[in-house]
């Protein structure tokens, strides 16, 4: 992009002030609908004529895009660290490769496969299994299939999941029958399989996973009217103050009065590398957006929920949205609620 990204909110506010000064709204505000006012504003302002905005909208689909070449380079850097037994550093490189790798490509499959190997070496068996499943969902390259099944069986064994270990070993046995592999290598795999069937170990992870965020309970029991509030709280109203909450007795430091999941929330850009873009949990292992390289998720579940609810719209415009402050949250509310729902409410109100 030849022009740098400016402040979109400033440009909008400037255009609004210019429209007001030109008298665009003077004859509309009293008796015209919101739609008519909006059309008048759009007809007067020249937002897309501002150079950097025009350049941005023309090129935003190219920003923060996936690259097989970049993913391959990062994965190779990870492989070098893996060979030096610097497994945690290798995991970091593999994660960057996963974030950069285009969806459902062989390069992405190899990056997940390599990260699973490093995770196995440091005892993160559940995370290793998750990455193995991602390789399968990408369309596992035939060269990786038997290695992944063997690693999966080893993880199941370490986790004490006997039935799943045996099932996986059966799949591996079937895979080896059709595999054109050196006799010695095949023999070694078969020997390891036999050893797994003879013993079932349970080992602890060598790294503690992040604890899930504990949601506190409200103090003094739940409220019979305000379901998210404490029984200590009452809803009141007056002509001068409108609706407001009061406490029936003194509130102590540390008391929890209201616990409610936000309808919509936005993660600040500074936390993109370290926290899940959807649930905001601190990342233990990162999973990518299907389209951009900016955001990360704690699981494929969060990645899917985020895409379905709002990120499919926001994805290419994130850098622009960073400049509008609280207005980004306003957009998120609209996307989570659904435009059809809000337009329906608008038409009923009319």
């Amino acid at each position: 992009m030849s022009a740098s990204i400016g402040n979109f909110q400033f440009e909008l506010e400037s255009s609004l002030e210019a429209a007001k000064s030109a008298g665009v709204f003077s004859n509309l505000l009293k008796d015209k609908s919101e739609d008519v006012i909006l059309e008048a504003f759009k007809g007067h302002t020249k937002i897309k004529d501002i150079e950097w905005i025009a350049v941005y909208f023309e090129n935003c689909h190219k920003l923060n895009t996936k690259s097989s070449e970049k993913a391959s380079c990062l994965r190779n850097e990870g492989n070098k660290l893996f060979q030096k037994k610097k497994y945690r550093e290798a995991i970091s490189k593999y994660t960057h490769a996963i974030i950069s790798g285009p969806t459902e490509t062989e390069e992405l499959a190899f990056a997940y496969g390599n990260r699973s190997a490093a995770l196995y070496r440091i005892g993160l068996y559940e995370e290793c299994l998750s990455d193995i499943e991602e390789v399968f969902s990408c369309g596992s390259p035939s060269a990786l299939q038997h290695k992944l099944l063997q690693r999966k069986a080893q993880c199941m064994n370490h986790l004490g999941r006997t039935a799943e270990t045996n099932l996986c070993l059966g799949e591996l046995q079937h895979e080896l029958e059709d595999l054109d592999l050196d006799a010695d290598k095949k023999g070694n795999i078969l020997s390891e399989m036999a050893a797994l069937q003879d013993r079932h170990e349970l080992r602890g992870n060598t790294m503690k996973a992040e604890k899930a965020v504990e949601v506190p309970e409200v103090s003094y029991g739940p409220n019979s009217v305000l379901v998210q509030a404490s029984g200590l709280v009452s809803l009141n109203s007056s002509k001068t103050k409108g609706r407001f909450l009061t406490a029936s007795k003194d509130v102590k430091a540390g008391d929890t009065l209201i616990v409610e999941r936000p309808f919509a929330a936005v993660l600040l850009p500074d936390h993109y590398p370290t926290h899940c873009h959807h649930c905001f949990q601190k990342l233990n292992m990162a999973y990518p957006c299907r389209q951009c390289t900016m955001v990360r998720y704690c699981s494929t579940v969060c990645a899917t929920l985020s895409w379905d609810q709002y990120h499919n719209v926001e994805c290419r415009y994130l850098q622009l949205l960073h400049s509008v402050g609280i207005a980004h949250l306003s957009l998120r509310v609209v996307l989570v609620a659904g435009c059809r729902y809000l337009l329906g409410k608008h038409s009923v109100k009319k």
Side-chain angles (χ1 to χ4, degrees):
M1 288 173 60
S2 58
S4 59
I5 295 176
N7 190 308
F8 191 57
Q9 186 160 343
F10 171 78
E11 303 293 0
L12 285 173
E13 290 173 353
S14 298
S15 295
L16 179 61
E17 288 302 318
K20 286 181 179 178
S21 299
V24 173
F25 303 131
S26 58
N27 297 320
L28 294 173
L29 292 175
K30 291 183 180 180
D31 54 4
K32 297 295 182 181
S33 71
E34 295 173 11
D35 293 336
V36 173
I37 295 172
L38 181 60
E39 287 303 315
F41 174 63
K42 287 166 63 179
H44 175 79
T45 57
K46 304 293 182 183
I47 287 290
K48 283 198 173 183
D49 290 344
I50 297 171
E51 182 184 1
W52 74 263
I53 293 179
V55 172
Y56 181 87
F57 279 108
E58 185 179 341
N59 294 277
C60 61
H61 65 286
K62 303 175 185 175
L63 297 172
N64 306 301
T65 54
K66 308 282 189 178
S67 166
S68 290
E69 292 76 15
K70 183 176 181 180
S72 178
C73 181
L74 288 164
R75 186 169 61 84
N76 288 332
E77 291 177 19
N79 289 344
K80 292 176 183 177
L81 291 166
F82 186 93
Q83 290 166 2
K84 295 177 181 178
K85 298 184 179 181
K86 296 181 178 180
Y87 300 123
R88 298 182 192 278
E89 293 176 47
I91 287 170
S92 178
K93 289 294 182 182
Y94 292 143
T95 297
H96 281 89
I98 288 166
I99 300 299
S100 300
T103 305
E104 296 182 355
T105 59
E106 187 174 89
E107 185 53 51
L108 182 59
F110 277 121
Y112 270 121
N114 288 7
R115 190 172 75 172
S116 75
L119 289 168
Y120 178 79
R121 292 301 181 96
I122 63 171
L124 290 179
Y125 304 123
E126 291 287 1
E127 289 82 354
C128 177
L129 287 171
S130 179
D131 274 8
I132 289 171
E133 291 307 314
E134 288 305 308
V135 181
F136 290 146
S137 68
C138 290
S140 172
S142 56
L144 288 181
Q145 195 79 8
H146 72 283
K147 294 180 181 179
L148 292 170
L149 287 171
Q150 184 179 9
R151 191 174 301 142
K152 183 177 179 179
Q154 290 169 328
C155 285
M156 295 294 188
N157 180 62
H158 283 299
L159 294 168
R161 289 149 67 170
T162 304
E164 291 168 284
T165 300
N166 291 334
L167 183 63
C168 194
L169 288 173
E171 292 180 48
L172 179 56
Q173 178 73 49
H174 180 73
E175 180 70 21
L176 289 173
E177 289 173 1
D178 301 324
L179 190 64
D180 183 17
L181 193 66
D182 178 85
D184 289 340
K185 289 183 179 179
K186 188 177 289 189
N188 289 336
I189 295 173
L190 290 171
S191 297
E192 290 181 21
M193 286 173 55
L196 277 182
Q197 289 173 322
D198 289 338
R199 70 182 191 279
H200 295 290
E201 304 172 16
L202 178 61
R203 299 178 186 175
N205 291 357
T206 58
M207 175 192 279
K208 291 183 180 179
E210 290 290 334
K211 288 185 178 180
V213 176
E214 293 183 4
V215 179
E217 294 184 358
V218 292
S219 305
Y220 310 103
N223 193 298
S224 59
V225 178
L226 303 170
V227 293
Q228 296 87 9
S230 161
L232 185 72
V233 174
S234 299
L235 178 63
N236 298 279
S237 64
S238 71
K239 290 183 179 179
T240 55
K241 297 180 180 179
R243 292 192 301 171
F244 57 92
L245 298 177
T246 58
S248 59
K249 62 180 182 179
D250 290 342
V251 178
K252 300 175 183 177
D255 283 346
T256 301
L257 300 183
I258 299 175
V259 176
E260 185 175 17
R261 183 182 295 277
F263 180 78
V266 172
L267 183 68
L268 296 176
D270 288 348
H271 301 293
Y272 281 9
T274 55
H275 290 71
C276 178
H277 194 67
H278 185 69
C279 73
F280 305 162
Q281 184 170 302
K282 189 172 182 181
L283 294 172
N284 182 29
M285 207 52 55
Y287 293 86
C289 163
R290 66 184 68 182
Q291 186 169 290
C292 76
T293 59
M294 288 191 71
V295 303
R296 302 180 179 200
Y297 299 96
C298 64
S299 67
T300 55
V301 173
C302 274
T304 300
L305 289 172
S306 170
W307 183 264
D308 291 345
Q309 290 180 19
Y310 53 86
H311 193 61
N312 64 90
V313 175
E314 293 183 358
C315 189
R316 65 174 61 186
Y317 305 117
L318 274 179
Q319 287 175 298
L320 192 67
L321 291 171
H322 294 164
S323 73
V324 300
I326 196 66
H328 185 183
L329 178 58
S330 300
L331 172 65
R332 181 70 60 83
V333 169
V334 171
L335 295 175
V336 171
C339 288
R340 289 185 180 181
Y341 172 80
L342 293 175
L343 289 172
K345 288 288 184 183
H346 178 66
S347 61
V348 169
K349 195 174 181 180
K350 282 182 168 181

